[in-house]
Amino acid sequence: MSFTTGTRFQPDGRSDERLPILFVRFDKGAKHVARQPITVGSLLEMRAFGVEFGAFTLWNKTRPADEAVVSKAIRSRDTMAFLYDPSMTTYSVSSHVAAYALGSSDVVAMTDAGFKVADIALNLTANAFNKLVHPPAMGTNLPRERLRGFRVQRDRGYAFTTLLFHLRGLVTDVASEAAIQTALTRAGLRPLDELLAQARVAIERKRKTELLSPELRVIRERLVDAGLTVLYRRNFDELRMWPAPLIAPGPLVMTGEDCAEFHVSTPTLSVEQTCFLHDCYSRLRDQTKLALRAARGFEFGWSDYVY
C-alpha cells in the first residue's frame, strides 16, 4: 500500500496541477490490484462502518458470554472479508488508510479512530484547510504544488489522511478526546469545539433554494437539519450508541431475510426519497465509471477496480 497523486483533466483535455487527486495504491507483489481516490463517499462509508461497529459492540454486550465470543469471531471474519475484497476498495479504502496511518492492525482502534477523524474531515471549513500541516510520516515526496492544491480545493480525503497520521502513537483501543485534540494541534488546527462551531455556521450559510428539482430541495433541507442535529452533539461516542433515539437521524435499513424496513433512530427521509437518491447516485456512478475507464487507458489492463 502506498500513496500516489494524479491531476484532474479539464474539458479541453489538459491536466491542471492545481487540481490534484490523492490515490491509495494497492499492490500484490508486482501486480497492481487497485488504485483508489479517497473520496467523500469513502469517508461517509467509514463513518457508517463505525456506527455499525459501535451498534454491534453494544448489542454483543447483551449476549451470554459464550455466545458473545462466537458473535465477535463471526463479525471479525466478515469484516476482514469485506476489507480485503478487491472489488470493495472503493468503499473500504478509508479503513485501510486508517490502519496504515495509525500503524495498527487492530480493527477496533482502526474503526474508532477512522470513524471520528472522518467526521472531522467531512466538517472542516476553508479556514481550517488553509492551516493544515502536512505530516512528515505521510511522506515528503508529494509535489509542493499538489499539496497546496489539496488545501485550496478542500480535499476531504487528504484532510482525513493527514489527521490520521498526526494521530499515530496516540491511539490504543480507542481514540480518546485528548488524543483527538492533540492530533488537531499537531495538524495546526483549532480545538474540536471551535471546528464544529465553524462547521455549523458554514452549513447555515449554505441553505440554498435555487435547486431545480423540488424533490432535491426538500431532501437537502431535511439533510441539512439532520447534519446540524449531529453537529450539536459534541460527544463522538454518543453518536455511535444503539438504539439512539433523537441523537443522530439514522439511514433507512433493510433486513436480508424478509426485506423488512427499519430505522436505527429518527427517520429523516422516506422510502420514496431514499429510492430517488439511490437512483440519482446509480446514474452518476455509471457515467463516472465510464469516464474513468476511458481516461485511465491500459495501465491496469482493464482489470483494476478503480471506479
Side-chain angles (χ1 to χ4, degrees):
M1 177 178 168
S2 60
F3 294 102
T4 62
T5 61
T7 57
R8 288 176 172 82
F9 282 89
Q10 302 306 294
D12 61 4
R14 298 179 181 180
S15 64
D16 191 337
E17 289 291 328
R18 296 170 299 178
L19 300 174
I21 306 172
L22 181 64
F23 288 99
V24 177
R25 182 165 178 153
F26 299 96
D27 295 333
K28 186 176 182 181
K31 180 181 179 181
H32 300 310
V33 177
R35 184 165 65 180
Q36 290 293 343
I38 310 172
T39 63
V40 168
S42 69
L43 298 187
L44 291 171
E45 182 67 23
M46 178 76 254
R47 197 180 184 287
F49 183 70
V51 172
E52 293 169 4
F53 197 90
F56 168 79
T57 300
L58 288 177
W59 170 81
N60 206 37
K61 289 180 180 179
T62 67
R63 316 311 301 161
D66 54 346
E67 183 179 328
V69 172
V70 175
S71 298
K72 184 177 180 180
I74 294 175
R75 174 74 183 188
S76 297
R77 182 196 64 194
D78 293 344
T79 298
M80 288 301 175
F82 164 74
L83 293 179
Y84 285 94
D85 183 346
S87 65
M88 298 302 292
T89 52
T90 299
Y91 307 100
S92 65
V93 61
S94 295
S95 299
H96 289 286
V97 169
Y100 183 76
L102 295 174
S104 171
S105 59
D106 184 81
V107 175
V108 175
M110 173 274 291
T111 303
D112 190 75
F115 161 82
K116 294 173 180 177
V117 173
D119 201 75
I120 295 172
L122 288 166
N123 287 291
L124 289 180
T125 61
N127 184 56
F129 277 95
N130 294 335
K131 299 178 180 179
L132 201 58
V133 175
H134 182 74
M138 185 178 168
T140 58
N141 60 335
L142 300 180
R144 179 173 297 181
E145 184 65 24
R146 293 190 179 181
L147 288 178
R148 182 176 180 277
F150 288 133
R151 299 187 184 97
V152 171
Q153 67 179 352
R154 307 176 196 176
D155 191 292
R156 307 286 170 181
Y158 174 73
F160 173 75
T161 306
T162 296
L163 291 175
L164 282 168
F165 270 98
H166 283 303
L167 197 58
R168 176 177 285 189
L170 301 175
V171 177
T172 51
D173 55 341
V174 295
S176 65
E177 183 174 335
I180 293 290
Q181 296 288 7
T182 300
L184 292 175
T185 301
R186 290 178 177 179
L189 302 182
R190 304 296 297 172
L192 182 59
D193 284 348
E194 295 184 31
L195 292 179
L196 296 183
Q198 292 171 0
R200 291 195 294 269
V201 172
I203 291 176
E204 288 286 7
R205 289 176 177 172
K206 286 184 177 293
R207 287 185 180 272
K208 299 178 181 180
T209 59
E210 66 270 20
L211 290 172
L212 296 179
S213 168
E215 295 91 344
L216 286 178
R217 187 181 304 125
V218 172
I219 291 173
R220 180 190 177 94
E221 283 302 305
R222 290 190 179 182
L223 292 178
V224 167
D225 289 337
L228 290 172
T229 300
V230 174
L231 279 175
Y232 274 101
R233 300 294 305 198
R234 180 171 178 272
N235 191 317
F236 279 112
D237 293 313
E238 285 185 18
L239 297 179
R240 294 177 60 185
M241 292 183 67
W242 181 88
L246 303 180
I247 291 180
L252 177 68
V253 181
M254 299 186 71
T255 62
E257 294 79 13
D258 53 7
C259 292
E261 300 163 358
F262 68 93
H263 288 270
V264 174
S265 56
T266 307
T268 301
L269 303 178
S270 67
V271 175
E272 291 74 18
Q273 290 171 328
T274 303
C275 292
F276 174 73
L277 285 181
H278 184 269
D279 185 50
C280 292
Y281 167 74
S282 297
R283 295 184 182 186
L284 176 62
R285 182 185 60 183
D286 290 342
Q287 295 301 315
T288 302
K289 188 187 300 185
L290 289 173
L292 285 175
R293 290 284 183 176
R296 290 292 300 284
F298 294 94
E299 179 185 353
F300 282 73
W302 306 106
S303 63
D304 64 299
Y305 292 98
V306 177
Y307 298 146

